[in-house]
Amino acid sequence: MGKGWKNILYMGLSLGMIAFAVPRIDLGDWANPSTIFGVVWIAFALLIVAAHLHELLGVEEEKKRQLLRIKRMKRWQLQQAVTGKRRVLQVRR
């Protein structure tokens, strides 16, 4: 089971929990501790769904690629320094 399937599964479970729990949560009196708990619980469940959706959409993929390029460049520079070959590279943007 790949990474994408886990996100889909967990997001589906979270949505299922929300669909099951929302009709059962009493949202009548806002000063009631059970109402406050219900609202906070729904907020956390929606946060979990949003996190899995964020991962599924791959919003961070470009940032991960850039960080990987930087790590490769630093590794190359360290290798050049250790072997005594000092070359200056021009970075393409």
Side-chain angles (χ1 to χ4, degrees):
M1 191 178 273
K3 185 178 178 183
W5 287 105
K6 285 183 182 181
N7 285 322
I8 292 171
L9 176 68
Y10 294 148
M11 187 174 68
L13 288 173
S14 299
L15 286 171
M17 286 181 2
I18 291 171
F20 181 77
V22 166
R24 289 165 178 77
I25 294 176
D26 181 29
L27 298 176
D29 183 24
W30 284 98
N32 191 356
S34 64
T35 302
I36 295 170
F37 173 79
V39 170
V40 170
W41 188 90
I42 291 171
F44 278 127
L46 288 173
L47 187 65
I48 291 169
V49 170
H52 288 294
L53 188 61
H54 183 267
E55 187 67 29
L56 280 173
L57 293 176
V59 175
E60 297 291 323
E61 289 300 318
E62 181 61 33
K63 184 182 277 188
K64 286 178 185 178
R65 282 192 291 256
Q66 288 177 352
L67 287 174
L68 183 61
R69 271 195 356 236
I70 291 170
K71 285 180 184 179
R72 286 180 185 159
M73 176 62 87
K74 286 184 178 183
R75 194 176 313 130
W76 181 83
Q77 287 175 343
L78 179 63
Q79 181 184 9
Q80 295 298 313
V82 168
T83 60
K85 300 176 184 175
R86 288 277 188 180
R87 290 178 27 191
V88 178
L89 284 182
Q90 294 179 355
V91 178
R92 288 184 284 170
R93 292 187 184 232

